[in-house]
Amino acid sequence: MSEPERGAATRALAARAVMAVLRQGTTLDEALRHADIADVGALSGPDRAQVRLLAFGAVRGHQRHRALLRRLLHRPLGREQYEIEALLSVGLYQLLDDEQPDYAAVSATVAAARWLGRPRAAGLVNAALRRAQRERTGLLESVLATDEGRFCAPAWLIERLRQDWPGQWPDVLDAALRPPPLWLRVNRLKRDEASYFRRLAEAGLDAERCAD
Protein backbone atom coordinates (compact mmCIF):
# COMPACT_ATOMS: atom_id res chain seq x y z
CA MET A 1 0.00 0.00 0.00
CA SER A 2 1.44 3.39 -1.04
CA GLU A 3 1.83 6.27 1.38
CA PRO A 4 -1.17 8.23 -0.05
CA GLU A 5 -3.30 5.07 0.16
CA ARG A 6 -2.26 4.53 3.77
CA GLY A 7 -3.11 8.16 4.57
CA ALA A 8 -6.59 7.73 3.12
CA ALA A 9 -7.12 4.38 4.83
CA THR A 10 -6.11 5.59 8.30
CA ARG A 11 -8.49 8.56 8.10
CA ALA A 12 -11.31 6.43 6.70
CA LEU A 13 -10.94 3.85 9.46
CA ALA A 14 -10.80 6.58 12.09
CA ALA A 15 -13.98 8.11 10.64
CA ARG A 16 -15.80 4.77 10.74
CA ALA A 17 -14.86 4.34 14.39
CA VAL A 18 -16.03 7.87 15.20
CA MET A 19 -19.29 7.23 13.33
CA ALA A 20 -19.92 4.12 15.42
CA VAL A 21 -19.59 6.22 18.56
CA LEU A 22 -21.96 8.89 17.21
CA ARG A 23 -24.62 6.58 15.78
CA GLN A 24 -24.51 3.52 18.00
CA GLY A 25 -23.20 4.89 21.27
CA THR A 26 -20.44 2.29 21.37
CA THR A 27 -17.18 2.98 23.16
CA LEU A 28 -14.35 4.15 20.96
CA ASP A 29 -12.13 1.24 22.01
CA GLU A 30 -14.82 -1.18 20.88
CA ALA A 31 -15.35 0.73 17.63
CA LEU A 32 -11.63 0.68 16.88
CA ARG A 33 -11.48 -3.09 17.38
CA HIS A 34 -13.98 -3.47 14.52
CA ALA A 35 -12.62 -0.74 12.25
CA ASP A 36 -9.91 -2.71 10.48
CA ILE A 37 -11.85 -3.93 7.45
CA ALA A 38 -10.59 -6.80 5.31
CA ASP A 39 -10.23 -4.77 2.11
CA VAL A 40 -7.77 -2.34 3.73
CA GLY A 41 -4.93 -4.81 3.69
CA ALA A 42 -2.28 -5.04 6.35
CA LEU A 43 -1.69 -1.82 8.26
CA SER A 44 1.61 -1.28 10.02
CA GLY A 45 1.90 -0.59 13.73
CA PRO A 46 2.42 3.15 13.15
CA ASP A 47 -0.60 3.26 10.82
CA ARG A 48 -2.79 1.60 13.44
CA ALA A 49 -1.50 4.05 16.04
CA GLN A 50 -2.42 6.89 13.67
CA VAL A 51 -5.97 5.55 13.31
CA ARG A 52 -6.30 5.50 17.09
CA LEU A 53 -4.82 8.99 17.51
CA LEU A 54 -7.11 10.53 14.88
CA ALA A 55 -10.22 8.80 16.21
CA PHE A 56 -9.63 9.83 19.82
CA GLY A 57 -8.81 13.40 18.77
CA ALA A 58 -11.95 13.63 16.66
CA VAL A 59 -14.21 12.28 19.40
CA ARG A 60 -12.66 14.49 22.08
CA GLY A 61 -13.13 17.60 19.94
CA HIS A 62 -16.30 16.62 18.12
CA GLN A 63 -18.59 19.14 19.79
CA ARG A 64 -16.21 21.93 18.79
CA HIS A 65 -15.94 20.47 15.30
CA ARG A 66 -19.72 20.46 14.97
CA ALA A 67 -19.79 24.15 15.87
CA LEU A 68 -17.14 24.80 13.24
CA LEU A 69 -19.06 22.83 10.62
CA ARG A 70 -22.11 25.03 11.19
CA ARG A 71 -19.93 27.92 10.06
CA LEU A 72 -18.08 26.09 7.29
CA LEU A 73 -21.01 24.46 5.47
CA HIS A 74 -23.74 26.27 3.58
CA ARG A 75 -26.31 23.77 4.82
CA PRO A 76 -26.18 21.18 7.60
CA LEU A 77 -25.35 17.57 6.90
CA GLY A 78 -28.30 15.19 6.90
CA ARG A 79 -28.69 12.20 9.20
CA GLU A 80 -27.57 9.91 6.40
CA GLN A 81 -24.24 11.73 6.29
CA TYR A 82 -22.91 10.73 9.71
CA GLU A 83 -19.90 9.13 8.02
CA ILE A 84 -18.96 12.39 6.30
CA GLU A 85 -19.48 14.36 9.51
CA ALA A 86 -17.16 11.93 11.28
CA LEU A 87 -14.59 12.23 8.48
CA LEU A 88 -14.72 16.03 8.62
CA SER A 89 -14.21 15.82 12.38
CA VAL A 90 -11.09 13.72 11.80
CA GLY A 91 -9.79 16.27 9.29
CA LEU A 92 -10.57 19.24 11.54
CA TYR A 93 -8.79 17.60 14.46
CA GLN A 94 -5.63 17.29 12.40
CA LEU A 95 -5.90 20.82 11.03
CA LEU A 96 -6.64 22.52 14.35
CA ASP A 97 -4.40 20.62 16.74
CA ASP A 98 -1.07 22.45 16.91
CA GLU A 99 0.81 19.21 17.54
CA GLN A 100 -0.51 17.51 14.40
CA PRO A 101 1.18 18.09 11.02
CA ASP A 102 -1.41 19.43 8.57
CA TYR A 103 0.56 19.41 5.33
CA ALA A 104 -1.25 16.29 4.06
CA ALA A 105 -4.40 16.52 6.18
CA VAL A 106 -6.69 17.91 3.49
CA SER A 107 -5.61 15.74 0.57
CA ALA A 108 -5.62 12.55 2.65
CA THR A 109 -9.06 13.30 4.12
CA VAL A 110 -10.49 14.04 0.67
CA ALA A 111 -9.01 10.74 -0.57
CA ALA A 112 -10.61 9.03 2.44
CA ALA A 113 -14.06 10.19 1.26
CA ARG A 114 -13.46 8.34 -2.01
CA TRP A 115 -12.06 5.34 -0.13
CA LEU A 116 -15.31 5.19 1.86
CA GLY A 117 -17.28 5.05 -1.38
CA ARG A 118 -18.45 8.67 -1.10
CA PRO A 119 -16.84 10.31 -4.16
CA ARG A 120 -19.60 12.94 -4.39
CA ALA A 121 -18.71 14.13 -0.89
CA ALA A 122 -15.04 14.65 -1.78
CA GLY A 123 -15.68 18.18 -3.08
CA LEU A 124 -17.57 19.15 0.07
CA VAL A 125 -14.80 17.76 2.30
CA ASN A 126 -12.16 19.58 0.28
CA ALA A 127 -14.01 22.92 0.34
CA ALA A 128 -14.75 22.76 4.09
CA LEU A 129 -11.20 21.84 5.11
CA ARG A 130 -9.57 24.35 2.74
CA ARG A 131 -11.73 27.09 4.23
CA ALA A 132 -10.84 25.90 7.73
CA GLN A 133 -7.17 26.23 6.76
CA ARG A 134 -7.61 29.73 5.38
CA GLU A 135 -9.85 31.10 8.12
CA ARG A 136 -8.51 29.09 11.06
CA THR A 137 -7.92 32.02 13.44
CA GLY A 138 -11.25 33.77 12.91
CA LEU A 139 -13.25 30.55 12.99
CA LEU A 140 -11.63 29.39 16.21
CA GLU A 141 -12.14 32.75 17.89
CA SER A 142 -15.83 32.61 17.02
CA VAL A 143 -16.31 29.04 18.25
CA LEU A 144 -14.18 29.40 21.39
CA ALA A 145 -16.30 32.38 22.44
CA THR A 146 -19.12 29.90 23.19
CA ASP A 147 -19.14 27.48 26.12
CA GLU A 148 -19.83 24.53 23.81
CA GLY A 149 -16.87 25.38 21.61
CA ARG A 150 -14.51 26.21 24.46
CA PHE A 151 -15.20 23.07 26.49
CA CYS A 152 -16.02 20.65 23.62
CA ALA A 153 -19.19 19.67 25.46
CA PRO A 154 -22.91 19.72 24.60
CA ALA A 155 -25.07 22.48 26.06
CA TRP A 156 -27.14 20.07 28.19
CA LEU A 157 -24.02 18.73 29.94
CA ILE A 158 -22.63 22.20 30.57
CA GLU A 159 -25.94 23.30 32.05
CA ARG A 160 -26.16 20.22 34.29
CA LEU A 161 -22.63 20.79 35.60
CA ARG A 162 -23.36 24.48 36.11
CA GLN A 163 -26.36 23.56 38.26
CA ASP A 164 -24.61 20.83 40.25
CA TRP A 165 -21.26 22.58 40.75
CA PRO A 166 -21.92 26.32 40.29
CA GLY A 167 -18.45 27.33 41.43
CA GLN A 168 -16.41 24.52 39.87
CA TRP A 169 -18.06 23.64 36.56
CA PRO A 170 -15.42 25.36 34.35
CA ASP A 171 -12.63 23.51 36.17
CA VAL A 172 -14.45 20.20 35.73
CA LEU A 173 -14.79 20.75 31.99
CA ASP A 174 -11.21 22.02 31.62
CA ALA A 175 -9.93 18.90 33.39
CA ALA A 176 -11.88 16.70 30.97
CA LEU A 177 -10.00 18.28 28.04
CA ARG A 178 -6.53 17.56 29.39
CA PRO A 179 -4.85 14.41 28.04
CA PRO A 180 -4.46 11.73 30.70
CA PRO A 181 -0.94 10.97 31.97
CA LEU A 182 1.06 8.27 30.20
CA TRP A 183 2.41 5.46 32.37
CA LEU A 184 5.51 3.56 31.24
CA ARG A 185 7.01 0.43 32.74
CA VAL A 186 10.77 -0.03 32.30
CA ASN A 187 11.95 -3.52 31.42
CA ARG A 188 14.84 -3.77 33.85
CA LEU A 189 16.21 -6.83 32.08
CA LYS A 190 17.08 -4.57 29.14
CA ARG A 191 17.60 -1.10 30.59
CA ASP A 192 17.96 0.55 33.99
CA GLU A 193 15.68 3.39 35.07
CA ALA A 194 18.38 6.07 35.07
CA SER A 195 19.33 5.51 31.43
CA TYR A 196 15.66 5.43 30.42
CA PHE A 197 15.05 8.75 32.17
CA ARG A 198 18.04 10.21 30.32
CA ARG A 199 16.62 9.09 26.97
CA LEU A 200 13.26 10.65 27.77
CA ALA A 201 14.98 13.90 28.78
CA GLU A 202 17.02 13.93 25.56
CA ALA A 203 13.75 13.61 23.65
CA GLY A 204 12.35 16.62 25.53
CA LEU A 205 9.87 14.56 27.58
CA ASP A 206 9.27 15.27 31.26
CA ALA A 207 8.89 12.21 33.44
CA GLU A 208 8.90 11.28 37.10
CA ARG A 209 9.11 8.03 38.97
CA CYS A 210 5.89 6.78 40.53
CA ALA A 211 5.66 5.05 43.87
CA ASP A 212 5.66 1.26 43.70
Side-chain angles (χ1 to χ4, degrees):
M1 188 183 295
S2 68
E3 185 172 347
E5 289 172 330
R6 290 201 312 273
T10 55
R11 286 157 181 82
L13 291 175
R16 285 193 169 172
V18 173
M19 183 181 67
V21 174
L22 299 178
R23 291 195 66 181
Q24 301 163 18
T26 185
T27 67
L28 189 51
D29 280 326
E30 181 67 20
L32 285 166
R33 278 195 288 272
H34 296 287
D36 196 4
I37 320 154
D39 61 352
V40 175
L43 287 178
S44 67
D47 288 334
R48 290 177 183 274
Q50 177 76 346
V51 172
R52 188 175 185 84
L53 175 69
L54 293 171
F56 269 88
V59 168
R60 189 177 292 116
H62 189 70
Q63 200 65 36
R64 182 178 296 163
H65 300 158
R66 274 185 165 168
L68 284 164
L69 289 175
R70 287 195 291 269
R71 292 159 172 79
L72 289 167
L73 302 177
H74 295 301
R75 57 184 178 181
L77 295 170
R79 293 182 62 84
E80 73 283 357
Q81 293 177 291
Y82 268 117
E83 196 170 47
I84 297 306
E85 181 182 348
L87 181 61
L88 282 165
S89 193
V90 169
L92 286 171
Y93 163 67
Q94 192 166 13
L95 283 177
L96 301 178
D97 190 295
D98 291 332
E99 296 183 3
Q100 295 297 310
D102 66 358
Y103 54 86
V106 176
S107 59
T109 308
V110 171
R114 300 188 180 95
W115 192 95
L116 289 166
R118 300 294 189 93
R120 292 184 178 180
L124 179 148
V125 171
N126 183 64
L129 295 183
R130 293 292 180 194
R131 184 181 171 195
Q133 266 188 324
R134 292 193 308 269
E135 303 175 24
R136 181 181 189 275
T137 301
L139 286 167
L140 275 178
E141 286 178 355
S142 174
V143 168
L144 293 177
T146 68
D147 286 340
E148 290 178 73
R150 174 187 168 190
F151 295 114
C152 292
W156 67 264
L157 176 59
I158 295 172
E159 184 57 31
R160 178 68 62 84
L161 291 172
R162 185 185 283 116
Q163 291 175 6
D164 292 346
W165 290 283
Q168 295 82 32
W169 68 270
D171 296 330
V172 172
L173 289 165
D174 275 331
L177 289 175
R178 288 195 291 271
L182 176 66
W183 297 73
L184 300 172
R185 183 186 295 272
V186 178
N187 185 343
R188 296 178 181 176
L189 298 176
K190 296 184 178 182
R191 186 181 301 277
D192 61 87
E193 287 184 8
S195 65
Y196 195 77
F197 272 105
R198 284 196 298 273
R199 289 197 64 183
L200 291 174
E202 290 167 0
L205 300 173
D206 295 326
E208 60 183 29
R209 190 179 188 281
C210 297
D212 293 330

